[in-house]
Amino acid sequence: MSAAQPRNGGNLLVEVLKSLGIDVAFGVVSVHNLPLVDALAHRLRWVPTRTEAAAVNAADGYARVRRTPGCAVTSTGTGAANAAGALVEALTAGSPVLHVTGQIPSEHLGAGRGVIHETRDQLGMLRSCSVWAATVGPDAADDFARAAGRLAQHPRGPVSLEWPIDLQYGEPAPSHNGAEAAATKPNSANIEGAPEPDEATLDRVAELIAAAERPLVWAGGGAIDCSGPIDELLRCTGAGLFTSNAGRGVVPETDDRVIGNFAASATGAELLAHADLLISVGTHFRSNETRSYRLAVPPAHIQIDIDPAAIGRVYLAEVGIVGDACTVIASLVDRLAGRPGACQPQWRGSITAAREQCRAQLRRDIGPYASICDIMANVLGDRSPRVRDITIPNSSWGNRLLPVIDSSTNVVPRGGGIGQAVGMSIGAAVARADEPTMVVVGDGGLVSQLGELATLAQEDLSVTIVAFDDGGYGVLRNTQDRHLGRRSGVDLFTPDLAAAAAAFDFGYFDVSTPEEFASAFETTTAAGCPQMIRVDCEALGPMPVPFVPPVEMPPTTPT
């Protein structure tokens, strides 16, 4: 570092990111983060997104695919507020994101003088959508050591730091906590600080599992780093595996033991009704995956979760174990090793039959889209990120039928918010540059993210956007058609996507049949640069069973 470039806050941020294994940051430059962006752009990789929300979405996508934390840098005030929705998504998903936002000069904090970019209680806002947030003070190195340590040892959501601009320009004081606090890299296989499971409880649970004749496992997002232990648990018990959407890929979905994200289907519910034991691992049992909590599960329920509050929150647990999923399951497998299980031989056949029936029924329900799904599955490699926005093709079949082999490829807004997938694809493609990234998006969701096409073009990322164009918000349109009998706010003007693709120098294909899609998809995923495919949903034809989201609505008579 030259004498003309003294050490400042930007250098500290670079050092912290390197200690966490992060090699890129996403964000929007501002007068309130100039030292940070300058250091990031010259010492790491800086990806300039067009919105703060997309910066956090990109850092989130990067974190999910790469299995290290991601970093987003935003401006203060309105800029930080623009990032809030994407922080909520990262919080919902438990995605480890370091969000660093600027702040006005420290001497003016809380004075309400109308300093440019000032907002009231920015820290309160950040705390509401992060697992932890703080204001960087004169001991900046200590603040970052604490943030990095939290990300490394408790990677279950975003942490946010607001940093007054005057302190960014100053030379950070040495950390009193020691450099090792920031240098501890995350270990996703075993979260440090998780309670050790009680030996007597583990013994009791092993006895219950060994006695089960028809066991099932339900794995959620808290289980995705435990592929080996869960595979062993299935092997030694004869259990079948349900997953939440977040838990997909913990065991490859091509495995005959995996029913998948079908628990709420008619066949899935029937299999659950016949089971005599359920072992749930790191799942929230979300409303849309449990028929608004009316899905019946076996009374014999063993629940494993790192969050004590999760035990029994949705379904009563006969036994709850608080701890790291990998550690707990490995301990149970050790206890079950060599013991004859009671699983009925015909139960394995029931699991395979349920798996096949769920998929066959869904294929009938979606009609021509089954062929689109098959083409995607055949062309994409097992490690290719499958990024999906909230749209009918995703909600009806992308979340269930499109096979996920590697859990790190399953990138979808888990909070259900539309218009985040293109931003997520930026981070996913940066994290896994050796594979093509696919984005499934509707025309409504794509329009809200058009600015990020410029980011994809500028970074020349290998991303294929598959835009299903049905002229509006299809999910809500179907909901209104079924429940209200009339439409409002769902039929939208769609811009000329061919012209939009040309404006950003994307390759472009317009398709209306599965055969056209196959040719286009093979070409675009092999191109190595940004591409777009518009699927004309009207020409392709309707789904035999229109998709309506599983949300409860009271009887309504339009006025």
Side-chain angles (χ1 to χ4, degrees):
M1 191 178 303
S2 69
Q5 294 177 315
R7 174 177 160 80
N8 62 20
N11 307 126
L12 171 62
L13 179 57
V14 168
E15 292 161 10
V16 170
L17 297 190
K18 286 183 175 180
S19 78
L20 289 167
I22 303 173
D23 58 7
V24 63
F26 308 88
V28 178
V29 67
S30 159
V31 295
H32 283 120
N33 64 24
L34 278 174
L36 311 183
V37 175
D38 177 72
L40 292 166
H42 287 89
R43 296 183 60 191
L44 293 179
R45 180 177 179 182
W46 172 252
V47 176
T49 60
R50 274 37 180 188
T51 67
E52 292 85 0
V56 175
N57 285 147
D60 186 352
Y62 174 93
R64 297 191 204 190
V65 171
R66 197 166 181 263
R67 292 291 200 262
T68 66
C71 178
V73 177
T74 67
S75 181
T76 188
T78 306
N82 286 342
L87 286 170
V88 169
E89 166 57 30
L91 184 64
T92 301
S95 191
V97 171
L98 175 61
H99 171 226
V100 183
T101 189
Q103 182 54 286
I104 64 173
S106 55
E107 64 178 305
H108 300 308
L109 279 176
R113 294 175 174 174
V115 177
I116 186 69
H117 295 174
E118 181 180 10
T119 190
R120 184 177 63 182
D121 194 15
Q122 176 173 285
L123 183 59
M125 177 190 69
L126 296 175
R127 283 175 172 157
S128 72
C129 49
S130 307
V131 294
W132 182 83
T135 303
V136 176
D139 293 327
D142 282 349
D143 295 321
F144 272 95
R146 287 187 295 144
R150 193 167 190 95
L151 276 173
Q153 305 307 332
H154 306 281
R156 298 197 301 275
V159 303
S160 293
L161 289 169
E162 60 170 12
W163 202 344
I165 184 60
D166 56 313
L167 300 181
Q168 293 177 38
Y169 279 109
E171 180 171 359
S175 173
H176 298 109
N177 294 327
E180 68 277 1
T184 305
K185 291 188 178 181
N187 178 6
S188 57
N190 189 355
I191 299 175
E192 197 168 304
E196 288 293 327
D198 177 70
E199 295 291 324
T201 302
L202 289 172
D203 291 339
R204 178 189 174 200
V205 167
E207 293 291 339
L208 291 172
I209 294 174
E213 297 181 343
R214 298 177 304 281
L216 291 171
V217 176
W218 188 324
I224 58 174
D225 290 314
C226 305
S227 295
I230 287 182
D231 180 80
E232 282 296 305
L233 182 63
L234 300 182
R235 182 193 59 76
C236 67
T237 62
L241 178 65
F242 282 114
T243 71
S244 67
N245 195 18
R248 296 184 64 198
V250 63
V251 174
E253 291 185 335
T254 50
D255 192 306
D256 285 344
R257 301 169 297 176
V258 179
I259 305 106
N261 185 24
F262 283 95
S265 70
T267 301
E270 183 179 358
L271 190 70
L272 276 165
H274 284 90
D276 64 352
L277 175 70
L278 177 66
I279 307 166
S280 66
V281 187
T283 182
H284 287 181
F285 290 115
R286 301 183 65 187
S287 62
N288 60 320
E289 296 171 338
T290 59
R291 299 183 176 182
S292 294
Y293 312 117
R294 289 196 295 267
L295 180 68
V297 304
H301 173 207
I302 297 164
Q303 186 172 8
I304 302 167
D305 205 288
I306 199 166
D307 180 6
I311 305 298
R313 182 164 51 196
V314 175
Y315 291 105
L316 292 177
E318 182 175 345
V319 184
I321 304 178
V322 178
D324 171 62
C326 298
T327 302
V328 172
I329 297 170
S331 297
L332 291 173
V333 168
D334 286 344
R335 284 166 168 77
L336 294 167
R339 298 178 59 169
C343 182
Q344 297 174 348
Q346 61 267 34
W347 184 239
R348 297 176 190 269
S350 298
I351 291 165
T352 302
R355 165 190 167 80
E356 294 172 352
Q357 290 166 17
C358 288
R359 285 162 174 76
Q361 183 60 57
L362 181 53
R363 294 178 71 86
R364 290 191 290 270
D365 290 347
I366 64 177
Y369 291 88
S371 296
I372 301 291
C373 180
D374 292 342
I375 293 161
M376 291 177 172
N378 290 333
V379 172
L380 292 172
D382 292 350
R383 296 182 68 254
S384 294
R386 293 136 163 84
V387 187
R388 309 182 306 281
D389 208 71
I390 303 304
T391 184
I392 284 180
N394 172 61
S395 298
S396 58
W397 53 267
N399 280 347
R400 296 172 182 82
L401 194 62
L402 180 66
V404 174
I405 311 303
D406 178 342
S407 63
S408 69
T409 67
N410 181 36
V411 182
V412 64
R414 295 180 191 169
I418 192 172
Q420 302 185 80
V422 174
M424 288 178 165
S425 78
I426 295 168
V430 169
R432 194 159 292 168
D434 59 336
E435 295 278 353
T437 292
M438 177 190 71
V439 184
V440 171
V441 66
D443 55 297
L446 177 60
V447 168
S448 70
Q449 306 172 81
L450 282 178
E452 298 312 321
L453 301 188
T455 306
L456 291 172
Q458 182 168 332
E459 298 299 312
D460 197 27
L461 298 175
S462 181
V463 172
T464 291
I465 295 174
V466 183
F468 290 88
D469 183 2
D470 64 0
Y473 297 139
V475 173
L476 292 167
R477 180 189 292 140
N478 288 352
T479 301
Q480 291 178 356
D481 287 350
R482 173 173 295 183
H483 295 288
L484 301 180
R486 68 183 189 185
R487 298 177 180 176
S488 56
V490 294
D491 297 318
L492 306 175
F493 171 80
T494 302
D496 184 339
L497 295 183
F504 294 104
D505 199 26
F506 278 36
Y508 181 81
F509 293 84
D510 211 319
V511 306
S512 57
T513 67
E515 294 74 21
E516 291 175 350
F517 180 80
S519 176
F521 196 62
E522 289 178 2
T523 299
T524 58
T525 52
C529 57
Q531 306 281 313
M532 184 185 297
I533 300 173
R534 173 184 172 266
V535 179
D536 185 336
C537 294
E538 183 176 359
L540 183 63
M543 293 182 181
V545 178
F547 174 77
V548 179
V551 295
E552 290 190 313
M553 294 184 65
T556 303
T557 302
T559 57

